[in-house]
Amino acid sequence: GRNLLKADFIGSSDPFVEVKVGMNPKVKTKTINNSLNPVWNQTFNFTTQGASETLELCVFDKDPFDKQESIGSGAVALSSLDLYTWQEREIAIPLDVQGQIFIRLTYFCSDFVLHPRGQLNVVLLGARNLKDADWFGKSDPFVTFRLNQQKAKSKIALNSLNSEWTEKFDFQTESVTDILEIKCFDKDILLDDALGHANLSLKEIPLFKDQPWEMSIPLRQEKTDTAKKKTYKGELFVRFLFTGEPWGRFKLGVMRARNLLGVDSGGTSDPYAEVKIGKLHKFETQVIKKTVNPEWKDEQTFQYRLAEIQNETLTVTVYDWNRFTSSVLLGTISFPLASVVQQEIPPETVWYPLQLPAGKTGTGQLVDKSTRPEIQLSMIWSLETVKYVERPAEPRGGSAVDSVHRTSSARNRWVRAVAQLKLNRSF
């Protein structure tokens, strides 16, 4: 906060803020004592039902003797903000009495794939106003791209500061946190000169349904000893299109077991289950002490590409836990995950018989010889296609990430640059 109202006798306040978004319950920050410019740095999560909701702030002065005193309130309609998925926005909300509250918003759309595994199509359209690195006021620029270990390089545009390429490069993506490294160079005989660079996280690229997205990317200059601030010279124009692979969510529940072998003294066991999803994941449930009918209720959800899960095997093994010796096998069961993907296994919770270990295991016997040991599992596979953020009718403004512009003005600047380039060529 900044310049809050003085509410105490000593000319200060002990402010805290109540925050409310839509129908979510109110949340409250900690109290900052004796400050009119408090810093909270606290994070809260809210679920929104749409842009029609409002974010409301109420600032109070904490008083140990009297009830809290309001020192200002403010609100902002979500519809007035450019809430692009994964984009951070910092805004100042003026209070009705005095002062401002500064907040940072990050919007996560539930329809956006958190792990966009697939192919990212990058088209280098052109550049404008590049740095002149040659003696004659020109450059011979080319651009390199790197995504993880994948590299690509454009052709060289001779004698130009406003270049045109229209070259296409394809990259395989694994995560929304992948960084696309972009560097622009001037081609020289001995050593290429750096013209600028930019790092672009995939979460900064709005992935819109059934259409590419064009961006102008300012080129950041190399740091010098005298220049501490970020300096930019020139910009690249790039078109992105993401094509995802089929993927899905595998929800697995290890619920309970019954009629297990009692291998400890007293005819009971300390059972836990070990789960292996092929070579992809492995986890264990908690240990339930002194029982042959444990109840775990351990449900977990995993996200996989269809190609990587359909050839794997799910194995669930139940053991008796021992503190000083190795665990004792109580039973196991396996499923080819292809049968889960093809929905040959019912999605509801079902009891499955455990395959008993060969020969005797431990000192105990079956608690109920007429009933086979069983485990209750639930397995649900839901195949999804890559989902995108729905594009707003008219995006307003840009993001706060290194001045990357993504409005229609980017396309207009590119058109003007190409027109200027063609005009210059005509002479």
Side-chain angles (χ1 to χ4, degrees):
R2 179 184 296 171
N3 193 28
L4 300 183
L5 183 69
K6 300 175 183 178
D8 296 340
F9 293 125
I10 59 174
S12 187
S13 291
D14 305 321
F16 68 91
V17 182
E18 287 187 352
V19 187
K20 191 175 189 303
V21 177
M23 300 302 294
N24 292 273
K26 290 181 181 179
V27 296
K28 186 169 67 173
T29 70
K30 59 188 177 183
T31 301
I32 306 297
N33 292 323
N34 299 322
S35 178
L36 300 180
N37 300 290
V39 177
W40 289 283
N41 283 336
Q42 290 184 257
T43 301
F44 306 101
N45 296 318
F46 301 96
T47 300
T48 65
Q49 303 299 321
S52 60
E53 294 185 339
T54 301
L55 185 152
E56 302 173 72
L57 301 174
C58 290
V59 186
F60 295 92
D61 171 60
K62 182 70 173 180
D63 195 317
F65 303 106
D66 300 325
K67 71 176 187 177
Q68 58 198 30
E69 177 184 355
S70 175
I71 56 175
S73 62
V76 60
L78 298 186
S79 59
S80 67
L81 305 175
D82 297 312
L83 295 180
Y84 291 104
T85 294
W86 291 94
Q87 294 300 318
E88 286 188 352
R89 292 289 311 280
E90 292 189 2
I91 62 174
I93 300 179
L95 300 178
D96 56 356
V97 178
Q98 178 181 314
Q100 295 175 303
I101 296 294
F102 296 87
I103 64 173
R104 180 185 295 119
L105 296 174
T106 306
Y107 177 65
F108 302 89
C109 179
S110 61
D111 286 339
F112 188 71
V113 180
L114 301 184
H115 303 282
R117 297 166 173 168
Q119 180 171 288
L120 180 67
N121 173 248
V122 179
V123 178
L124 175 62
L125 299 173
R128 190 189 73 162
N129 195 28
L130 295 178
K131 179 181 177 182
D132 56 315
D134 294 341
W135 289 351
F136 303 104
K138 295 288 185 179
S139 292
D140 302 320
F142 67 92
V143 181
T144 65
F145 297 90
R146 176 171 177 168
L147 184 67
N148 299 327
Q149 301 302 315
Q150 306 163 81
K151 299 179 181 179
K153 179 180 175 181
S154 75
K155 297 176 182 178
I156 301 171
L158 297 175
N159 298 321
S160 175
L161 302 179
N162 299 288
S163 308
E164 184 178 359
W165 284 282
T166 316
E167 289 190 63
K168 174 184 172 184
F169 310 99
D170 292 326
F171 299 93
Q172 299 303 311
T173 65
E174 288 295 328
S175 170
V176 75
T177 58
D178 286 349
I179 301 295
L180 178 64
E181 301 175 19
I182 305 173
K183 295 182 179 180
C184 187
F185 296 93
D186 168 60
K187 185 65 179 177
D188 263 335
I189 297 176
L190 298 178
L191 184 64
D192 298 332
D193 298 320
L195 300 181
H197 67 278
N199 289 339
L200 195 65
S201 173
L202 295 193
K203 66 184 181 181
E204 298 171 28
I205 306 173
L207 301 178
F208 292 130
K209 186 177 180 180
D210 299 330
Q211 58 181 301
W213 183 252
E214 293 182 6
M215 300 173 64
S216 73
I217 304 174
L219 291 176
R220 184 177 175 182
Q221 303 300 299
E222 297 295 335
K223 289 183 177 180
T224 63
D225 294 335
T226 58
K228 295 183 179 180
K229 295 183 178 180
K230 298 178 182 179
T231 58
Y232 297 88
K233 176 65 175 177
E235 56 186 337
L236 298 177
F237 297 89
V238 182
R239 179 189 299 134
F240 296 98
L241 179 64
F242 177 73
T243 305
E245 297 180 11
W247 66 279
R249 291 186 176 92
F250 178 45
K251 184 176 181 180
L252 173 63
V254 183
M255 309 309 293
R256 52 185 64 84
R258 63 189 179 190
N259 305 318
L260 296 180
L261 289 168
V263 296
D264 295 339
S265 59
T268 63
S269 294
D270 302 327
Y272 70 93
E274 178 189 81
V275 180
K276 293 181 180 179
I277 306 176
K279 299 178 181 180
L280 303 175
H281 276 103
K282 177 182 176 181
F283 70 93
E284 295 178 353
T285 67
Q286 62 178 338
V287 177
I288 307 297
K289 297 289 188 70
K290 297 182 180 182
T291 182
V292 292
N293 300 296
E295 187 169 304
W296 295 292
K297 292 185 178 180
D298 191 339
E299 295 182 283
Q300 300 196 33
T301 301
F302 305 92
Q303 195 175 53
Y304 298 119
R305 285 175 289 183
L306 177 61
E308 71 181 348
I309 190 176
Q310 60 186 358
N311 296 321
E312 298 287 354
T313 300
L314 171 68
T315 303
V316 182
T317 308
V318 182
Y319 293 96
D320 168 63
W321 177 83
N322 292 300
R323 183 180 297 275
F324 301 109
T325 59
S326 59
S327 298
V328 177
L329 177 65
L330 300 180
T332 186
I333 189 171
S334 296
F335 299 91
L337 284 176
S339 61
V340 179
V341 171
Q342 297 167 12
Q343 297 183 345
E344 297 174 357
I345 292 178
E348 63 268 14
T349 302
V350 176
W351 286 98
Y352 296 95
L354 288 170
Q355 181 180 352
L356 296 174
K360 289 185 178 181
T361 301
T363 58
Q365 301 294 326
L366 290 175
V367 173
D368 184 355
K369 295 183 179 181
S370 64
T371 306
R372 186 179 180 88
E374 295 178 316
I375 189 168
Q376 190 184 53
L377 304 173
S378 65
M379 292 172 283
I380 301 175
W381 167 259
S382 56
L383 182 63
E384 302 285 349
T385 56
V386 174
K387 295 182 180 180
Y388 299 86
V389 185
E390 291 298 327
R391 180 173 184 173
E394 295 182 1
R396 301 174 301 278
S399 76
V401 186
D402 269 358
S403 300
V404 177
H405 308 290
R406 52 176 53 82
T407 65
S408 59
S409 61
R411 178 64 180 172
N412 295 336
R413 289 198 302 276
W414 162 240
V415 171
R416 290 197 298 269
V418 173
Q420 181 183 2
L421 177 64
K422 291 182 178 179
L423 182 61
N424 291 338
R425 285 179 178 174
S426 65
F427 290 96

